[in-house]
Amino acid sequence: SQTIHQWPATLVQPVGSPLSLECTVEGTSNPNLYWYRQAAGRGLQLLFYSIGIDQISSEVPQNLSASRPQDRQFILSSKKLLLSDSGFYLCAWSQGSETQYFGPGTRLLVL
Amino acid sequence: LAKTTQPISMDSYEGQEVNITCSHNNIATNDYITWYQQFPSQGPRFIIQGYKTKVTNEVASLFIPADRKSSTLSLPRVSLSDTAVYYCLVGFSGNTGKLIFGQGTTLQVKP
């Protein structure tokens, strides 16, 4: 069966520091991968999606970037965090246009 | 991608059947309707998906009228553990899997 992992589970970072969140998927090959952000009490906002290695699309202009160095690894990064980057970050995978399955999420607090 | 409208919140009591309706007036021919459940500090969990008429699984039923401009998620005999946010999504993502999440419906089940 397929599983999706995210780490860390929680993170507290000062403004201006770098960020690296990692997501890995097991039990499937060539998945579509997604990064979402969820502000408190709000719905999910799609940040990036990837249909293959080094094939990444950005949905909104922001202080973040994404990379996919391996088929089942998706990384969310920032060179300098802003206060507004605080939120709940979720990684998801799907096979093509099939249902998306979400990871456990990372709670990021920027102080 | 079709926009969806659903109630912001609903209250229910244990043992009752809960029906959450979602409006999607501009649904396209290729669009599927998908419902997710999200608990606090967790990633959304796929509940059910349908295209037309009725779909039932071990968790819920999904009713879709002939014009497909709305859908109703039915949760039989809810328990306290069904307290969560429920999202209705409509779309056909092709190969990208892009989903648009709204604010969802917060269901509060009371004892």
Side-chain angles (χ1 to χ4, degrees):
Chain A
S1 64
Q2 300 86 8
T3 55
I4 179 169
H5 305 279
Q6 285 186 247
W7 63 89
T10 59
L11 190 60
V12 180
Q13 292 284 95
V15 170
S17 65
L19 173 73
S20 180
L21 303 181
E22 189 163 344
C23 170
T24 58
V25 181
E26 297 177 355
T28 186
S29 60
N30 196 30
N32 286 359
L33 296 173
Y34 313 85
W35 277 112
Y36 291 85
R37 177 170 59 200
Q38 186 173 34
R42 307 292 294 274
L44 281 73
Q45 179 188 36
L46 179 63
L47 302 176
F48 301 94
Y49 69 92
S50 170
I51 62 173
I53 293 176
D54 295 328
Q55 294 179 281
I56 299 168
S57 297
S58 174
E59 287 298 294
V60 294
Q62 59 209 320
N63 186 41
L64 303 168
S65 62
S67 61
R68 185 170 177 175
Q70 301 181 41
D71 180 45
R72 290 170 290 175
Q73 184 184 31
F74 206 22
I75 298 172
L76 184 69
S77 303
S78 173
K79 292 181 179 179
K80 289 186 177 181
L81 284 168
L82 307 172
L83 288 174
S84 58
D85 291 324
S86 293
F88 190 44
Y89 288 83
L90 287 155
C91 180
W93 73 273
S94 71
Q95 276 297 342
S97 60
E98 299 293 323
T99 302
Q100 288 189 22
Y101 296 94
F102 288 80
T106 294
R107 178 77 58 190
L108 172 66
L109 178 61
V110 182
L111 300 176
Chain B
L1 297 173
K3 180 181 177 181
T4 60
T5 302
Q6 45 183 133
I8 296 296
S9 64
M10 293 181 67
D11 289 340
S12 181
Y13 291 92
E14 283 190 290
Q16 289 187 331
E17 178 185 75
V18 171
N19 296 309
I20 306 175
T21 297
C22 179
S23 297
H24 27 81
N25 291 320
N26 59 338
I27 188 170
T29 303
N30 290 338
D31 286 344
Y32 279 78
I33 301 159
T34 309
W35 286 81
Y36 285 84
Q37 174 193 55
Q38 186 180 26
F39 298 111
S41 298
Q42 295 186 25
R45 181 175 75 103
F46 169 82
I47 300 176
I48 198 166
Q49 184 180 69
Y51 183 80
K52 62 180 179 181
T53 63
K54 177 183 175 182
V55 179
T56 298
N57 61 23
E58 65 277 6
V59 177
S61 295
L62 179 59
F63 298 92
I64 306 169
D67 66 5
R68 303 198 329 120
K69 293 184 182 300
S70 67
S71 59
T72 299
L73 174 72
S74 181
L75 304 173
R77 297 182 297 281
V78 294
S79 63
L80 295 176
S81 62
D82 292 317
T83 294
V85 179
Y86 292 83
Y87 294 98
C88 163
L89 292 93
V90 172
F92 172 71
S93 53
N95 192 41
T96 65
K98 292 169 61 174
L99 298 177
I100 304 295
F101 280 81
Q103 286 193 297
T105 297
T106 299
L107 172 65
Q108 180 69 50
V109 179
K110 303 176 182 179

PDB file of all heavy atoms in Angstrom, chain B residues 6-37:
ATOM      1  N   GLN B   6     -20.872  25.708  -0.016  1.00  0.00           N
ATOM      2  CA  GLN B   6     -21.409  24.823   0.995  1.00  0.00           C
ATOM      3  C   GLN B   6     -21.571  25.601   2.286  1.00  0.00           C
ATOM      4  O   GLN B   6     -20.933  26.636   2.484  1.00  0.00           O
ATOM      5  CB  GLN B   6     -20.514  23.585   1.189  1.00  0.00           C
ATOM      6  CG  GLN B   6     -19.025  23.848   1.278  1.00  0.00           C
ATOM      7  CD  GLN B   6     -18.192  22.596   1.404  1.00  0.00           C
ATOM      8  OE1 GLN B   6     -17.198  22.438   0.699  1.00  0.00           O
ATOM      9  NE2 GLN B   6     -18.547  21.723   2.322  1.00  0.00           N
ATOM     10  N   PRO B   7     -22.434  25.121   3.191  1.00  0.00           N
ATOM     11  CA  PRO B   7     -22.631  25.859   4.457  1.00  0.00           C
ATOM     12  C   PRO B   7     -21.345  25.925   5.251  1.00  0.00           C
ATOM     13  O   PRO B   7     -20.537  25.004   5.230  1.00  0.00           O
ATOM     14  CB  PRO B   7     -23.709  25.031   5.164  1.00  0.00           C
ATOM     15  CG  PRO B   7     -23.699  23.695   4.505  1.00  0.00           C
ATOM     16  CD  PRO B   7     -23.275  23.920   3.103  1.00  0.00           C
ATOM     17  N   ILE B   8     -21.163  27.027   5.943  1.00  0.00           N
ATOM     18  CA  ILE B   8     -19.947  27.214   6.733  1.00  0.00           C
ATOM     19  C   ILE B   8     -19.911  26.243   7.904  1.00  0.00           C
ATOM     20  O   ILE B   8     -18.862  25.688   8.234  1.00  0.00           O
ATOM     21  CB  ILE B   8     -19.856  28.640   7.260  1.00  0.00           C
ATOM     22  CG1 ILE B   8     -19.721  29.617   6.081  1.00  0.00           C
ATOM     23  CG2 ILE B   8     -18.656  28.806   8.196  1.00  0.00           C
ATOM     24  CD1 ILE B   8     -18.457  29.432   5.285  1.00  0.00           C
ATOM     25  N   SER B   9     -21.068  26.019   8.525  1.00  0.00           N
ATOM     26  CA  SER B   9     -21.096  25.145   9.699  1.00  0.00           C
ATOM     27  C   SER B   9     -22.441  24.438   9.825  1.00  0.00           C
ATOM     28  O   SER B   9     -23.453  24.912   9.291  1.00  0.00           O
ATOM     29  CB  SER B   9     -20.802  25.937  10.972  1.00  0.00           C
ATOM     30  OG  SER B   9     -21.818  26.898  11.187  1.00  0.00           O
ATOM     31  N   MET B  10     -22.416  23.312  10.530  1.00  0.00           N
ATOM     32  CA  MET B  10     -23.620  22.544  10.832  1.00  0.00           C
ATOM     33  C   MET B  10     -23.461  21.898  12.191  1.00  0.00           C
ATOM     34  O   MET B  10     -22.343  21.515  12.574  1.00  0.00           O
ATOM     35  CB  MET B  10     -23.854  21.442   9.790  1.00  0.00           C
ATOM     36  CG  MET B  10     -24.189  21.924   8.404  1.00  0.00           C
ATOM     37  SD  MET B  10     -24.474  20.556   7.272  1.00  0.00           S
ATOM     38  CE  MET B  10     -25.982  19.859   7.940  1.00  0.00           C
ATOM     39  N   ASP B  11     -24.563  21.758  12.903  1.00  0.00           N
ATOM     40  CA  ASP B  11     -24.573  21.049  14.175  1.00  0.00           C
ATOM     41  C   ASP B  11     -25.448  19.816  14.064  1.00  0.00           C
ATOM     42  O   ASP B  11     -26.449  19.818  13.336  1.00  0.00           O
ATOM     43  CB  ASP B  11     -25.109  21.940  15.297  1.00  0.00           C
ATOM     44  CG  ASP B  11     -24.145  23.046  15.671  1.00  0.00           C
ATOM     45  OD1 ASP B  11     -22.947  22.910  15.354  1.00  0.00           O
ATOM     46  OD2 ASP B  11     -24.577  24.048  16.268  1.00  0.00           O
ATOM     47  N   SER B  12     -25.070  18.776  14.780  1.00  0.00           N
ATOM     48  CA  SER B  12     -25.880  17.570  14.806  1.00  0.00           C
ATOM     49  C   SER B  12     -25.691  16.887  16.153  1.00  0.00           C
ATOM     50  O   SER B  12     -24.847  17.292  16.950  1.00  0.00           O
ATOM     51  CB  SER B  12     -25.457  16.628  13.671  1.00  0.00           C
ATOM     52  OG  SER B  12     -26.257  15.462  13.672  1.00  0.00           O
ATOM     53  N   TYR B  13     -26.460  15.829  16.373  1.00  0.00           N
ATOM     54  CA  TYR B  13     -26.328  15.044  17.587  1.00  0.00           C
ATOM     55  C   TYR B  13     -25.950  13.621  17.234  1.00  0.00           C
ATOM     56  O   TYR B  13     -26.223  13.136  16.123  1.00  0.00           O
ATOM     57  CB  TYR B  13     -27.632  15.063  18.387  1.00  0.00           C
ATOM     58  CG  TYR B  13     -27.933  16.415  18.981  1.00  0.00           C
ATOM     59  CD1 TYR B  13     -28.710  17.348  18.293  1.00  0.00           C
ATOM     60  CD2 TYR B  13     -27.416  16.777  20.222  1.00  0.00           C
ATOM     61  CE1 TYR B  13     -28.974  18.595  18.838  1.00  0.00           C
ATOM     62  CE2 TYR B  13     -27.672  18.022  20.769  1.00  0.00           C
ATOM     63  CZ  TYR B  13     -28.444  18.925  20.067  1.00  0.00           C
ATOM     64  OH  TYR B  13     -28.691  20.158  20.613  1.00  0.00           O
ATOM     65  N   GLU B  14     -25.323  12.967  18.172  1.00  0.00           N
ATOM     66  CA  GLU B  14     -24.912  11.582  17.954  1.00  0.00           C
ATOM     67  C   GLU B  14     -26.091  10.731  17.517  1.00  0.00           C
ATOM     68  O   GLU B  14     -27.190  10.857  18.029  1.00  0.00           O
ATOM     69  CB  GLU B  14     -24.328  10.997  19.238  1.00  0.00           C
ATOM     70  CG  GLU B  14     -22.929  11.446  19.552  1.00  0.00           C
ATOM     71  CD  GLU B  14     -22.325  10.644  20.684  1.00  0.00           C
ATOM     72  OE1 GLU B  14     -22.779  10.812  21.837  1.00  0.00           O
ATOM     73  OE2 GLU B  14     -21.408   9.851  20.423  1.00  0.00           O
ATOM     74  N   GLY B  15     -25.841   9.844  16.572  1.00  0.00           N
ATOM     75  CA  GLY B  15     -26.869   8.925  16.110  1.00  0.00           C
ATOM     76  C   GLY B  15     -27.731   9.443  14.980  1.00  0.00           C
ATOM     77  O   GLY B  15     -28.457   8.675  14.359  1.00  0.00           O
ATOM     78  N   GLN B  16     -27.654  10.748  14.692  1.00  0.00           N
ATOM     79  CA  GLN B  16     -28.453  11.314  13.620  1.00  0.00           C
ATOM     80  C   GLN B  16     -27.770  11.139  12.281  1.00  0.00           C
ATOM     81  O   GLN B  16     -26.565  10.931  12.195  1.00  0.00           O
ATOM     82  CB  GLN B  16     -28.694  12.803  13.868  1.00  0.00           C
ATOM     83  CG  GLN B  16     -29.647  13.106  15.009  1.00  0.00           C
ATOM     84  CD  GLN B  16     -29.972  14.582  15.107  1.00  0.00           C
ATOM     85  OE1 GLN B  16     -29.176  15.438  14.743  1.00  0.00           O
ATOM     86  NE2 GLN B  16     -31.165  14.883  15.626  1.00  0.00           N
ATOM     87  N   GLU B  17     -28.563  11.215  11.231  1.00  0.00           N
ATOM     88  CA  GLU B  17     -28.024  11.249   9.877  1.00  0.00           C
ATOM     89  C   GLU B  17     -27.760  12.712   9.520  1.00  0.00           C
ATOM     90  O   GLU B  17     -28.576  13.583   9.778  1.00  0.00           O
ATOM     91  CB  GLU B  17     -29.019  10.647   8.886  1.00  0.00           C
ATOM     92  CG  GLU B  17     -28.534  10.703   7.436  1.00  0.00           C
ATOM     93  CD  GLU B  17     -29.590  10.204   6.466  1.00  0.00           C
ATOM     94  OE1 GLU B  17     -30.564  10.941   6.213  1.00  0.00           O
ATOM     95  OE2 GLU B  17     -29.444   9.075   5.964  1.00  0.00           O
ATOM     96  N   VAL B  18     -26.617  12.949   8.938  1.00  0.00           N
ATOM     97  CA  VAL B  18     -26.248  14.319   8.564  1.00  0.00           C
ATOM     98  C   VAL B  18     -26.120  14.412   7.047  1.00  0.00           C
ATOM     99  O   VAL B  18     -25.475  13.567   6.424  1.00  0.00           O
ATOM    100  CB  VAL B  18     -24.922  14.738   9.224  1.00  0.00           C
ATOM    101  CG1 VAL B  18     -24.441  16.068   8.658  1.00  0.00           C
ATOM    102  CG2 VAL B  18     -25.090  14.842  10.731  1.00  0.00           C
ATOM    103  N   ASN B  19     -26.725  15.422   6.489  1.00  0.00           N
ATOM    104  CA  ASN B  19     -26.638  15.668   5.048  1.00  0.00           C
ATOM    105  C   ASN B  19     -26.020  17.038   4.803  1.00  0.00           C
ATOM    106  O   ASN B  19     -26.535  18.046   5.280  1.00  0.00           O
ATOM    107  CB  ASN B  19     -28.024  15.605   4.403  1.00  0.00           C
ATOM    108  CG  ASN B  19     -28.637  14.233   4.501  1.00  0.00           C
ATOM    109  OD1 ASN B  19     -28.018  13.231   4.157  1.00  0.00           O
ATOM    110  ND2 ASN B  19     -29.872  14.160   4.987  1.00  0.00           N
ATOM    111  N   ILE B  20     -24.942  17.068   4.077  1.00  0.00           N
ATOM    112  CA  ILE B  20     -24.266  18.324   3.746  1.00  0.00           C
ATOM    113  C   ILE B  20     -24.380  18.518   2.239  1.00  0.00           C
ATOM    114  O   ILE B  20     -23.914  17.681   1.462  1.00  0.00           O
ATOM    115  CB  ILE B  20     -22.786  18.302   4.155  1.00  0.00           C
ATOM    116  CG1 ILE B  20     -22.641  17.942   5.634  1.00  0.00           C
ATOM    117  CG2 ILE B  20     -22.146  19.659   3.875  1.00  0.00           C
ATOM    118  CD1 ILE B  20     -21.200  17.772   6.084  1.00  0.00           C
ATOM    119  N   THR B  21     -24.981  19.629   1.862  1.00  0.00           N
ATOM    120  CA  THR B  21     -25.192  19.890   0.442  1.00  0.00           C
ATOM    121  C   THR B  21     -24.183  20.886  -0.094  1.00  0.00           C
ATOM    122  O   THR B  21     -23.845  21.858   0.571  1.00  0.00           O
ATOM    123  CB  THR B  21     -26.618  20.407   0.205  1.00  0.00           C
ATOM    124  OG1 THR B  21     -27.553  19.387   0.588  1.00  0.00           O
ATOM    125  CG2 THR B  21     -26.846  20.716  -1.278  1.00  0.00           C
ATOM    126  N   CYS B  22     -23.739  20.640  -1.289  1.00  0.00           N
ATOM    127  CA  CYS B  22     -22.775  21.489  -1.970  1.00  0.00           C
ATOM    128  C   CYS B  22     -23.351  21.918  -3.308  1.00  0.00           C
ATOM    129  O   CYS B  22     -23.879  21.086  -4.051  1.00  0.00           O
ATOM    130  CB  CYS B  22     -21.480  20.705  -2.162  1.00  0.00           C
ATOM    131  SG  CYS B  22     -20.158  21.589  -3.007  1.00  0.00           S
ATOM    132  N   SER B  23     -23.268  23.202  -3.602  1.00  0.00           N
ATOM    133  CA  SER B  23     -23.739  23.716  -4.895  1.00  0.00           C
ATOM    134  C   SER B  23     -22.557  23.929  -5.826  1.00  0.00           C
ATOM    135  O   SER B  23     -21.530  24.462  -5.411  1.00  0.00           O
ATOM    136  CB  SER B  23     -24.480  25.046  -4.708  1.00  0.00           C
ATOM    137  OG  SER B  23     -25.627  24.876  -3.916  1.00  0.00           O
ATOM    138  N   HIS B  24     -22.727  23.506  -7.052  1.00  0.00           N
ATOM    139  CA  HIS B  24     -21.671  23.685  -8.072  1.00  0.00           C
ATOM    140  C   HIS B  24     -22.357  23.916  -9.406  1.00  0.00           C
ATOM    141  O   HIS B  24     -22.407  23.019 -10.269  1.00  0.00           O
ATOM    142  CB  HIS B  24     -20.702  22.508  -8.119  1.00  0.00           C
ATOM    143  CG  HIS B  24     -21.275  21.198  -7.669  1.00  0.00           C
ATOM    144  ND1 HIS B  24     -22.052  20.387  -8.475  1.00  0.00           N
ATOM    145  CD2 HIS B  24     -21.173  20.572  -6.470  1.00  0.00           C
ATOM    146  CE1 HIS B  24     -22.383  19.314  -7.812  1.00  0.00           C
ATOM    147  NE2 HIS B  24     -21.881  19.386  -6.579  1.00  0.00           N
ATOM    148  N   ASN B  25     -22.893  25.110  -9.575  1.00  0.00           N
ATOM    149  CA  ASN B  25     -23.739  25.423 -10.723  1.00  0.00           C
ATOM    150  C   ASN B  25     -23.024  25.346 -12.064  1.00  0.00           C
ATOM    151  O   ASN B  25     -23.644  25.092 -13.084  1.00  0.00           O
ATOM    152  CB  ASN B  25     -24.367  26.816 -10.552  1.00  0.00           C
ATOM    153  CG  ASN B  25     -25.388  26.837  -9.430  1.00  0.00           C
ATOM    154  OD1 ASN B  25     -26.152  25.898  -9.265  1.00  0.00           O
ATOM    155  ND2 ASN B  25     -25.379  27.903  -8.648  1.00  0.00           N
ATOM    156  N   ASN B  26     -21.720  25.622 -12.065  1.00  0.00           N
ATOM    157  CA  ASN B  26     -21.005  25.636 -13.348  1.00  0.00           C
ATOM    158  C   ASN B  26     -20.138  24.399 -13.525  1.00  0.00           C
ATOM    159  O   ASN B  26     -19.071  24.462 -14.141  1.00  0.00           O
ATOM    160  CB  ASN B  26     -20.165  26.912 -13.481  1.00  0.00           C
ATOM    161  CG  ASN B  26     -19.150  27.037 -12.354  1.00  0.00           C
ATOM    162  OD1 ASN B  26     -19.309  26.448 -11.297  1.00  0.00           O
ATOM    163  ND2 ASN B  26     -18.126  27.830 -12.571  1.00  0.00           N
ATOM    164  N   ILE B  27     -20.608  23.294 -13.021  1.00  0.00           N
ATOM    165  CA  ILE B  27     -19.866  22.041 -13.169  1.00  0.00           C
ATOM    166  C   ILE B  27     -19.778  21.676 -14.649  1.00  0.00           C
ATOM    167  O   ILE B  27     -20.729  21.851 -15.418  1.00  0.00           O
ATOM    168  CB  ILE B  27     -20.534  20.913 -12.351  1.00  0.00           C
ATOM    169  CG1 ILE B  27     -19.663  19.660 -12.344  1.00  0.00           C
ATOM    170  CG2 ILE B  27     -21.942  20.614 -12.881  1.00  0.00           C
ATOM    171  CD1 ILE B  27     -20.142  18.598 -11.358  1.00  0.00           C
ATOM    172  N   ALA B  28     -18.602  21.191 -15.056  1.00  0.00           N
ATOM    173  CA  ALA B  28     -18.378  20.844 -16.452  1.00  0.00           C
ATOM    174  C   ALA B  28     -18.654  19.362 -16.686  1.00  0.00           C
ATOM    175  O   ALA B  28     -18.701  18.564 -15.759  1.00  0.00           O
ATOM    176  CB  ALA B  28     -16.943  21.185 -16.856  1.00  0.00           C
ATOM    177  N   THR B  29     -18.790  19.010 -17.944  1.00  0.00           N
ATOM    178  CA  THR B  29     -19.151  17.645 -18.311  1.00  0.00           C
ATOM    179  C   THR B  29     -18.170  16.622 -17.760  1.00  0.00           C
ATOM    180  O   THR B  29     -18.555  15.546 -17.325  1.00  0.00           O
ATOM    181  CB  THR B  29     -19.227  17.510 -19.832  1.00  0.00           C
ATOM    182  OG1 THR B  29     -20.172  18.453 -20.336  1.00  0.00           O
ATOM    183  CG2 THR B  29     -19.633  16.107 -20.234  1.00  0.00           C
ATOM    184  N   ASN B  30     -16.885  16.960 -17.766  1.00  0.00           N
ATOM    185  CA  ASN B  30     -15.869  16.006 -17.332  1.00  0.00           C
ATOM    186  C   ASN B  30     -15.617  16.015 -15.828  1.00  0.00           C
ATOM    187  O   ASN B  30     -14.815  15.215 -15.343  1.00  0.00           O
ATOM    188  CB  ASN B  30     -14.545  16.305 -18.031  1.00  0.00           C
ATOM    189  CG  ASN B  30     -14.590  15.986 -19.508  1.00  0.00           C
ATOM    190  OD1 ASN B  30     -15.409  15.191 -19.951  1.00  0.00           O
ATOM    191  ND2 ASN B  30     -13.726  16.618 -20.272  1.00  0.00           N
ATOM    192  N   ASP B  31     -16.267  16.921 -15.100  1.00  0.00           N
ATOM    193  CA  ASP B  31     -15.963  17.082 -13.678  1.00  0.00           C
ATOM    194  C   ASP B  31     -16.513  15.950 -12.823  1.00  0.00           C
ATOM    195  O   ASP B  31     -17.661  15.530 -13.002  1.00  0.00           O
ATOM    196  CB  ASP B  31     -16.530  18.403 -13.163  1.00  0.00           C
ATOM    197  CG  ASP B  31     -15.744  19.602 -13.637  1.00  0.00           C
ATOM    198  OD1 ASP B  31     -14.607  19.422 -14.107  1.00  0.00           O
ATOM    199  OD2 ASP B  31     -16.267  20.734 -13.518  1.00  0.00           O
ATOM    200  N   TYR B  32     -15.718  15.515 -11.878  1.00  0.00           N
ATOM    201  CA  TYR B  32     -16.157  14.619 -10.823  1.00  0.00           C
ATOM    202  C   TYR B  32     -16.379  15.430  -9.542  1.00  0.00           C
ATOM    203  O   TYR B  32     -15.882  16.549  -9.404  1.00  0.00           O
ATOM    204  CB  TYR B  32     -15.100  13.537 -10.556  1.00  0.00           C
ATOM    205  CG  TYR B  32     -15.153  12.403 -11.546  1.00  0.00           C
ATOM    206  CD1 TYR B  32     -14.618  12.557 -12.823  1.00  0.00           C
ATOM    207  CD2 TYR B  32     -15.738  11.195 -11.216  1.00  0.00           C
ATOM    208  CE1 TYR B  32     -14.668  11.522 -13.742  1.00  0.00           C
ATOM    209  CE2 TYR B  32     -15.788  10.147 -12.130  1.00  0.00           C
ATOM    210  CZ  TYR B  32     -15.250  10.330 -13.384  1.00  0.00           C
ATOM    211  OH  TYR B  32     -15.309   9.311 -14.292  1.00  0.00           O
ATOM    212  N   ILE B  33     -17.126  14.865  -8.623  1.00  0.00           N
ATOM    213  CA  ILE B  33     -17.399  15.498  -7.332  1.00  0.00           C
ATOM    214  C   ILE B  33     -16.737  14.651  -6.260  1.00  0.00           C
ATOM    215  O   ILE B  33     -16.961  13.434  -6.187  1.00  0.00           O
ATOM    216  CB  ILE B  33     -18.915  15.594  -7.088  1.00  0.00           C
ATOM    217  CG1 ILE B  33     -19.573  16.415  -8.208  1.00  0.00           C
ATOM    218  CG2 ILE B  33     -19.195  16.219  -5.719  1.00  0.00           C
ATOM    219  CD1 ILE B  33     -21.053  16.151  -8.359  1.00  0.00           C
ATOM    220  N   THR B  34     -15.919  15.314  -5.447  1.00  0.00           N
ATOM    221  CA  THR B  34     -15.150  14.600  -4.430  1.00  0.00           C
ATOM    222  C   THR B  34     -15.332  15.270  -3.075  1.00  0.00           C
ATOM    223  O   THR B  34     -15.353  16.502  -2.993  1.00  0.00           O
ATOM    224  CB  THR B  34     -13.654  14.596  -4.788  1.00  0.00           C
ATOM    225  OG1 THR B  34     -13.480  14.138  -6.129  1.00  0.00           O
ATOM    226  CG2 THR B  34     -12.881  13.687  -3.854  1.00  0.00           C
ATOM    227  N   TRP B  35     -15.447  14.479  -2.048  1.00  0.00           N
ATOM    228  CA  TRP B  35     -15.569  14.995  -0.675  1.00  0.00           C
ATOM    229  C   TRP B  35     -14.396  14.504   0.156  1.00  0.00           C
ATOM    230  O   TRP B  35     -14.008  13.336   0.086  1.00  0.00           O
ATOM    231  CB  TRP B  35     -16.876  14.540  -0.044  1.00  0.00           C
ATOM    232  CG  TRP B  35     -18.083  15.260  -0.559  1.00  0.00           C
ATOM    233  CD1 TRP B  35     -18.755  15.000  -1.723  1.00  0.00           C
ATOM    234  CD2 TRP B  35     -18.768  16.349   0.064  1.00  0.00           C
ATOM    235  NE1 TRP B  35     -19.817  15.869  -1.862  1.00  0.00           N
ATOM    236  CE2 TRP B  35     -19.841  16.698  -0.776  1.00  0.00           C
ATOM    237  CE3 TRP B  35     -18.587  17.056   1.251  1.00  0.00           C
ATOM    238  CZ2 TRP B  35     -20.733  17.744  -0.464  1.00  0.00           C
ATOM    239  CZ3 TRP B  35     -19.465  18.084   1.571  1.00  0.00           C
ATOM    240  CH2 TRP B  35     -20.523  18.420   0.715  1.00  0.00           C
ATOM    241  N   TYR B  36     -13.861  15.449   0.948  1.00  0.00           N
ATOM    242  CA  TYR B  36     -12.784  15.146   1.879  1.00  0.00           C
ATOM    243  C   TYR B  36     -13.226  15.518   3.293  1.00  0.00           C
ATOM    244  O   TYR B  36     -14.045  16.407   3.496  1.00  0.00           O
ATOM    245  CB  TYR B  36     -11.520  15.945   1.554  1.00  0.00           C
ATOM    246  CG  TYR B  36     -10.739  15.459   0.363  1.00  0.00           C
ATOM    247  CD1 TYR B  36     -11.072  15.843  -0.926  1.00  0.00           C
ATOM    248  CD2 TYR B  36      -9.634  14.629   0.531  1.00  0.00           C
ATOM    249  CE1 TYR B  36     -10.343  15.408  -2.015  1.00  0.00           C
ATOM    250  CE2 TYR B  36      -8.891  14.190  -0.553  1.00  0.00           C
ATOM    251  CZ  TYR B  36      -9.254  14.583  -1.823  1.00  0.00           C
ATOM    252  OH  TYR B  36      -8.534  14.151  -2.901  1.00  0.00           O
ATOM    253  N   GLN B  37     -12.606  14.833   4.271  1.00  0.00           N
ATOM    254  CA  GLN B  37     -12.831  15.117   5.686  1.00  0.00           C
ATOM    255  C   GLN B  37     -11.496  15.537   6.290  1.00  0.00           C
ATOM    256  O   GLN B  37     -10.459  14.917   5.998  1.00  0.00           O
ATOM    257  CB  GLN B  37     -13.345  13.854   6.376  1.00  0.00           C
ATOM    258  CG  GLN B  37     -13.507  13.936   7.877  1.00  0.00           C
ATOM    259  CD  GLN B  37     -13.714  12.546   8.474  1.00  0.00           C
ATOM    260  OE1 GLN B  37     -12.899  11.652   8.265  1.00  0.00           O
ATOM    261  NE2 GLN B  37     -14.821  12.354   9.187  1.00  0.00           N
TER     262      GLN B  37
END
